[in-house]
Amino acid sequence: MELFKSEKIYDFMSKRNIFISISLILIALSLFSIFTKGFNWGIDFKGGIEIQVKFDKQIDLGEIRKIVSKKFSSPNVTTFGNNNEILIRLNVNAVSNDVQKSLENEIKNLLKPLGNAEIRRVDIVGAKVGNELKEKGLNAFIFSIIGILIYVAFRFEWRFALASVLALFHDTIISLGAVSFFGIETNLDVLAAILTLMGYSLNDTIVVFDRIREQVRDSKVNDLATLINEAISKTLSRTVLTSLTTFFVVLTLFLFGGEIIRPFSFTLLVGIIVGTYSSIFIASPLLIWLGFKIDDYRKRLAEIEKRKREKEKLREMYQGGVV
Amino acid sequence: MKKLNYRLVIFIFAALFGIAFTIPSFIGKEPKVNLGLDLQGGIYLVLGVKGDEAVKSKIKTFASTIKYITNKKEIFIDNLKVNNKTLSFELIDKDDAPKMDEILKKLKGTQVIKKHTKEGILYIVKLTPKEIEKTREDALNQAIQTIRSRLDAFGLAEPSVTKQGKDKIVVELPGIKTQKEKNSIKKLISTSAHLELYAVDDEHKAVTPKDAAKYGDILLPSKDNPNRKYLLKTPPVLDGSMITDATVGFTQKTNQPAIFFTLNSQGAAIFGDFTGKNVGKRLAIVVDNKVYSAPVIQERIGGGSGQITVGSPEEAHVLAIALRSGSLPAPVILLEQRSVGASLGADSIKKSLIALISGFVIVVIFMAWYYNLAGIIADIALIVNLFLIIAIMALFGATLTLPGMAGIVLTVGMAVDANVIINERIRELIREGKNIKTAIEGGYKNAMSAIVDANITTLIAAIALFAYGTGTIKGFAITMAIGILASMLTAILGTHGIWEYLLAGGKKITPKHFGMKA
């Protein structure tokens, strides 16, 4: 089976303004959602109490809400996955020992009249913990950006490094925008998903960049747009295939992985689509905007090649006993 | 002579290694992958250690020591006060200054400021910044030790107590089910078990802490009745760091549950001296700032043992474990508590396994359909990859959590990437009209730089996750990093070795075997 069988070169670059416009609109919408709607922070970040209860039959949420509000102010009650499992969130910020001690029993007693209830999970997180997590997440993000910048600049050229990191911001912002827009609960797993996406979307971008580097080295063509079109077209089959296999797997995770992992799998699902799109349509045009010069890079590659050859020659001379 | 196919040999070894160390995890033998609490149920606690309190308590201990030694050597001091993190006192006879300096020199890690006043010399003693830092660190380490030995004494299976950052402790207890168990364990962990013995001040009366401070005293509530307050002379006569043993028993006369404690030699000497000099006066036994009892001293108590009466045998049990395993040098506060029921854990495993297996099957079938023989070879690499991930996790004793499982699922999706890149390159060369053998060699060569660069950048992200992540995120990062490394071994080296074997064996390989039309 062959997807992109012919050696057809698709002309992506002539439409680059359209793609960039689409991306800018998506980024603007994402930022708008992030700043106006914000995130639906989970208790990992916000602090509070979360109790997951499973009943042996279907239960009326309104009734539970009424019963729980007798004891706790403004509880948030939602179904969790199927209809006989519910999630109760309480905004109790002071995590004192006394609150906790009685909590599980109290909830159990409150719910008793409604039927057989099994308390499956109780999470209590102090408010202070969350800020530290946000800070650590940001640190992880910054640390990997710096690491990636250095590595790519070393292996390619600084414009490649900058373009890949800009594409990374593009993917991260749009994924976060989707998380914000759809009101997905933002917990630790979502943070992990965002950070994983960085690795994934970068993977895609680097494979295309590697091909551009190769085309620059081996081809006689002097037009950057043509070279990039060739590189993307030749890697297209791979990009689509890998994205498809990863997409399938994450989709099964989203569909069958259960409610707890859903925020994580949702974020990944969006990220894979955006990451694939950006590695084809966004990362490479950025090279053009950043003023990448084929001639300069060829000279540099030739220089590296020359030095490598000289070294080899020297080694041969040593081994031959000439020096 | 035939060239040794070292790639295939390494791959076969990797496969055997993977399978050999995966099996124990499935039959429940060591080494095995530990299931995280989210997968097997249990409690997860994050405790914050209040290092400042350890510093304060150290100063308080110094104050007790100074009082005891000066008393004994008949050096007269006045106004001994503990003020947050410093202590101060006045030396009445200036001629005693050399002796006093000698005593203070023995208190390690302190800075002493001397001021001459009309009445004598004012001494201010505080800890050096280095000592403060060390005290906090010691407090954290000792708290970990203490909590560990308390949990051991309680008889819990595989508790895990680890440090997190500079002032936090993570406690993981799998298999805790009942609410009652949960409560006693939380109590056991968070009880400071700070035992102090104070002289009761019967000469003065005080209602507010302010009144008490006027006499250099403090007011502490009774354990049974918070409204009843005792006026106690500071600093305490003794503190719990001198306890060597604590056992549960019953008092002889009243048959009440009680804890019998034994002091070390220094403690016994201080206790003996004090009780000898204060017969007829009351001595308050204070645990965690609550007065348990305040018996009248009948006679000098030598041998360094005493007793604390408590309400119930269960309480005696918990408190005795706490006292015996040492006090927490600094109080701990509960920052985070997560408990997962066993049934939810089992559900989570089931769901993620379904996702893992179905995702895996889709990818395997897809690859075989799309790439024919090349796809099947990639599938073999993928399966070995999965074994390797589990084997390495088992060997490192890593914990598999729900996000970790998701990490494996994701790795499966991404692991075929290297083979897709390679196979696409081989197809290109075949289209260019190269013969199969050259195309295969060229495909691996051309694909190498892309695969290496892409994997190293992903690895950088994984390292960042590991360095700054906590708990579950760390687990996820480890799974991802192992997956990347394992996939380089299986997808690049392994599949290459298989091709070499097939070619050397004289098998006729055609473009059809790469899913191309002949």
Side-chain angles (χ1 to χ4, degrees):
Chain A
M1 184 60 205
E2 289 173 75
L3 260 184
F4 302 97
K5 189 181 170 184
S6 60
E7 279 139 76
K8 192 174 173 209
I9 304 298
Y10 299 88
D11 188 7
F12 293 108
M13 286 305 108
S14 65
K15 296 175 199 81
R16 61 177 184 265
N17 289 331
I18 300 173
F19 299 129
I20 291 277
S21 308
I22 293 173
S23 284
L24 286 177
I25 291 169
L26 282 177
I27 287 176
L29 288 176
S30 297
L31 290 176
F32 182 74
S33 177
I34 290 169
F35 285 113
T36 56
K37 194 163 180 241
F39 292 104
N40 171 18
W41 293 112
I43 67 160
D44 285 344
F45 291 104
K46 194 174 67 178
I49 296 174
E50 207 171 86
I51 302 151
Q52 189 181 331
V53 188
K54 190 181 184 183
F55 287 93
D56 53 3
K57 57 172 191 247
Q58 207 165 314
I59 283 295
D60 180 24
L61 283 186
E63 200 147 339
I64 293 176
R65 212 167 279 137
K66 219 166 77 196
I67 286 178
V68 178
S69 9
K70 276 186 205 155
K71 213 62 203 226
F72 300 96
S73 64
S74 58
N76 176 345
V77 181
T78 50
T79 49
F80 197 65
N82 45 19
N83 274 328
N84 50 3
E85 199 145 1
I86 55 156
L87 197 67
I88 304 172
R89 288 203 188 90
L90 305 172
N91 264 331
V92 184
N93 262 334
V95 190
S96 72
N97 260 323
D98 298 330
V99 175
Q100 291 180 20
K101 218 180 284 170
S102 47
L103 190 79
E104 229 177 293
N105 284 334
E106 219 161 292
I107 290 282
K108 224 173 177 168
N109 287 335
L110 280 175
L111 298 177
K112 220 173 220 165
L114 292 177
N116 226 339
E118 179 200 356
I119 296 197
R120 301 189 119 207
R121 180 168 62 100
V122 181
D123 284 357
I124 303 172
V125 181
K128 223 181 85 188
V129 180
N131 284 328
E132 221 175 287
L133 281 178
K134 281 183 208 161
E135 199 181 303
K136 277 188 171 166
L138 198 65
N139 279 341
F141 185 74
I142 293 168
F143 181 81
S144 19
I145 292 278
I146 293 172
I148 289 160
L149 269 175
I150 294 172
Y151 181 79
V152 178
F154 171 74
R155 285 281 293 170
F156 292 77
E157 198 226 7
W158 69 266
R159 286 183 193 84
F160 283 92
L162 198 57
S164 52
V165 166
L166 285 176
L168 212 59
F169 275 112
H170 169 272
D171 300 349
T172 312
I173 291 170
I174 294 176
S175 307
L176 284 175
V179 169
S180 158
F181 180 77
F182 290 103
I184 303 295
E185 186 188 318
T186 315
N187 54 23
L188 258 183
D189 296 346
V190 169
L191 184 72
I194 291 285
L195 293 161
T196 312
L197 280 179
M198 296 177 54
Y200 175 79
S201 93
L202 204 69
N203 215 343
D204 254 9
T205 310
I206 294 292
V207 172
V208 176
F209 279 3
D210 177 78
R211 200 55 181 252
I212 294 175
R213 179 175 59 182
E214 194 178 311
Q215 294 289 117
V216 170
R217 193 184 60 210
D218 296 344
S219 165
K220 291 278 175 290
V221 179
N222 276 322
D223 178 46
L224 184 59
T226 312
L227 274 182
I228 291 178
N229 277 333
E230 283 175 13
I232 298 178
S233 301
K234 284 184 169 167
T235 48
L236 193 60
S237 158
R238 172 264 157 197
T239 308
V240 173
L241 272 185
T242 302
S243 298
L244 271 184
T245 55
T246 317
F247 184 82
F248 281 147
V249 174
V250 177
L251 191 67
T252 55
L253 198 62
F254 180 74
L255 294 176
F256 310 119
E259 200 60 36
I260 292 181
I261 206 87
R262 193 140 295 163
F264 176 83
S265 45
F266 172 85
T267 314
L268 279 183
L269 216 50
V270 175
I272 285 169
I273 298 168
V274 178
T276 306
Y277 166 81
S278 82
S279 65
I280 298 175
F281 301 107
I282 299 301
S284 309
L286 281 172
L287 281 179
I288 300 182
W289 270 298
L290 289 171
F292 178 75
K293 298 266 187 323
I294 297 183
D295 290 340
D296 292 354
Y297 195 58
R298 274 193 184 137
K299 264 183 218 153
R300 201 179 130 183
L301 285 177
E303 189 91 1
I304 293 169
E305 191 63 24
K306 203 174 123 197
R307 246 180 277 147
K308 214 166 110 190
R309 225 170 285 147
E310 273 169 8
K311 245 186 215 162
E312 256 164 43
K313 220 180 198 169
L314 266 176
R315 196 171 299 134
E316 270 168 33
M317 280 160 74
Y318 272 117
Q319 279 164 352
V322 178
V323 183
Chain B
M1 200 186 109
K2 238 167 75 179
K3 217 177 109 195
L4 178 72
N5 186 347
Y6 77 93
R7 291 192 179 94
L8 188 66
V9 173
I10 294 177
F11 181 65
I12 289 171
F13 268 112
L16 292 177
F17 169 87
I19 293 166
F21 287 101
T22 299
I23 292 168
S25 291
F26 282 96
I27 54 174
K29 288 228 174 78
E30 294 291 327
K32 64 169 187 234
V33 177
N34 300 313
L35 292 183
L37 291 174
D38 50 353
L39 294 178
Q40 64 168 322
I43 337 185
Y44 170 96
L45 304 168
V46 180
L47 308 165
V49 178
K50 288 183 165 172
D52 274 349
E53 297 293 323
V55 176
K56 269 190 220 169
S57 129
K58 187 154 198 166
I59 281 288
K60 233 159 99 183
T61 310
F62 280 163
S64 301
T65 311
I66 290 171
K67 187 169 184 186
Y68 174 71
I69 296 176
T70 49
N71 252 340
K72 199 160 188 176
K73 297 199 170 167
E74 295 185 337
I75 301 169
F76 296 107
I77 60 167
D78 198 10
N79 267 335
L80 176 59
K81 268 188 244 161
V82 175
N83 218 334
N84 212 359
K85 288 177 197 169
T86 59
L87 73 88
S88 63
F89 60 90
E90 275 173 49
L91 184 69
I92 293 162
D93 187 351
K94 283 181 184 175
D95 294 343
D96 283 339
K99 271 200 238 166
M100 195 66 232
D101 291 344
E102 194 64 30
I103 293 168
L104 291 178
K105 218 186 254 169
K106 282 185 190 147
L107 302 178
K108 292 276 167 352
T110 54
Q111 281 171 317
V112 181
I113 301 164
K114 284 201 282 190
K115 279 182 193 152
H116 289 265
T117 60
K118 259 184 261 166
E119 288 85 35
I121 305 174
L122 176 70
Y123 278 82
I124 297 169
V125 181
K126 58 180 175 186
L127 297 180
T128 60
K130 212 173 139 194
E131 186 66 19
I132 290 177
E133 190 60 27
K134 194 175 162 285
T135 308
R136 286 165 184 277
E137 219 180 293
D138 289 349
L140 180 65
N141 288 330
Q142 202 193 319
I144 290 174
Q145 280 295 329
T146 307
I147 290 174
R148 220 174 257 159
S149 54
R150 283 182 190 177
L151 291 173
D152 279 346
F154 199 79
L156 277 177
E158 4 170 13
S160 140
V161 185
T162 47
K163 201 188 290 190
Q164 189 183 92
K166 271 179 118 176
D167 55 358
K168 289 194 194 69
I169 299 173
V170 174
V171 180
E172 288 177 281
L173 304 165
I176 299 288
K177 286 187 194 87
T178 66
Q179 185 63 31
K180 204 176 161 195
E181 260 184 315
K182 253 183 231 174
N183 287 341
S184 349
I185 280 163
K186 270 193 315 199
K187 182 144 197 201
L188 185 65
I189 289 173
S190 56
T191 302
S192 293
H194 199 63
L195 173 76
E196 288 166 311
L197 302 179
Y198 282 95
V200 178
D201 188 348
D202 286 318
E203 294 141 36
H204 298 106
K205 283 245 170 341
V207 189
T208 63
K210 223 173 166 184
D211 294 340
K214 244 189 314 201
Y215 314 117
D217 290 354
I218 51 164
L219 269 179
L220 288 182
S222 152
K223 187 200 148 255
D224 303 318
N225 177 3
N227 291 326
R228 187 161 163 218
K229 300 261 165 63
Y230 287 86
L231 188 61
L232 309 172
K233 289 182 185 167
T234 60
V237 182
L238 257 186
D239 74 38
S241 58
M242 295 168 185
I243 286 193
T244 56
D245 195 18
T247 53
V248 183
F250 292 89
T251 54
Q252 273 186 343
K253 283 177 201 157
T254 56
N255 206 29
Q256 264 183 298
I259 295 154
F260 297 90
F261 61 85
T262 318
L263 298 165
N264 66 13
S265 59
Q266 194 194 349
I270 299 175
F271 196 47
D273 280 2
F274 178 81
T275 47
K277 276 186 200 154
N278 292 282
V279 172
K281 288 179 185 165
R282 289 197 294 163
L283 176 72
I285 298 172
V286 177
V287 180
D288 292 344
N289 290 326
K290 284 184 193 123
V291 179
Y292 272 65
S293 60
V296 175
I297 300 166
Q298 308 288 353
E299 57 185 348
R300 180 177 184 279
I301 306 172
S305 58
Q307 65 183 50
I308 308 168
T309 48
V310 275
S312 69
E314 287 86 30
E315 197 187 348
H317 180 58
V318 168
L319 191 59
I321 291 177
L323 283 175
R324 193 162 54 220
S325 49
S327 70
L328 292 177
V332 293
I333 41 167
L334 211 46
L335 294 176
E336 201 178 324
Q337 183 208 328
R338 290 156 191 269
S339 60
V340 176
S343 74
L344 179 65
D347 266 14
S348 296
I349 292 192
K350 206 172 74 195
K351 281 182 179 152
S352 34
L353 271 181
I354 290 174
L356 181 64
I357 293 169
S358 50
F360 194 79
V361 168
I362 291 173
V363 172
V364 165
I365 293 175
F366 182 83
M367 287 295 282
W369 169 71
Y370 194 83
Y371 283 120
N372 197 302
L373 177 65
I376 292 170
I377 291 176
D379 286 340
I380 294 171
L382 195 60
I383 291 165
V384 172
N385 191 2
L386 201 59
F387 279 125
L388 272 180
I389 294 177
I390 298 170
I392 295 172
M393 287 186 76
L395 283 178
F396 279 108
T399 304
L400 185 63
T401 57
L402 201 54
M405 221 133 163
I408 295 182
V409 173
L410 194 65
T411 313
V412 167
M414 288 170 75
V416 292
D417 186 49
N419 283 118
V420 172
I421 295 177
I422 293 166
N423 288 340
E424 288 299 316
R425 286 291 189 146
I426 295 175
R427 279 181 170 188
E428 265 176 50
L429 292 172
I430 293 175
R431 274 188 217 115
E432 280 170 23
K434 299 261 167 22
N435 76 43
I436 289 283
K437 199 169 178 234
T438 324
I440 290 176
E441 284 308 315
Y444 276 91
K445 198 168 155 257
N446 293 341
M448 208 46 131
S449 72
I451 297 171
V452 169
D453 282 342
N455 279 331
I456 288 182
T457 42
T458 313
L459 211 52
I460 291 174
I463 291 169
L465 268 186
F466 183 77
Y468 290 103
T470 55
T472 52
I473 295 215
K474 259 201 168 93
F476 176 75
I478 293 174
T479 322
M480 205 161 91
I482 295 173
I484 294 166
L485 295 175
S487 83
M488 305 232 332
L489 180 72
T490 56
I492 304 172
L493 210 72
T495 56
H496 199 171
I498 295 176
W499 284 121
E500 278 181 347
Y501 172 77
L502 292 177
L503 288 168
K507 182 168 166 59
K508 182 98 183 76
I509 292 169
T510 65
K512 217 183 110 218
H513 289 127
F514 286 90
M516 300 169 81
K517 291 214 178 83

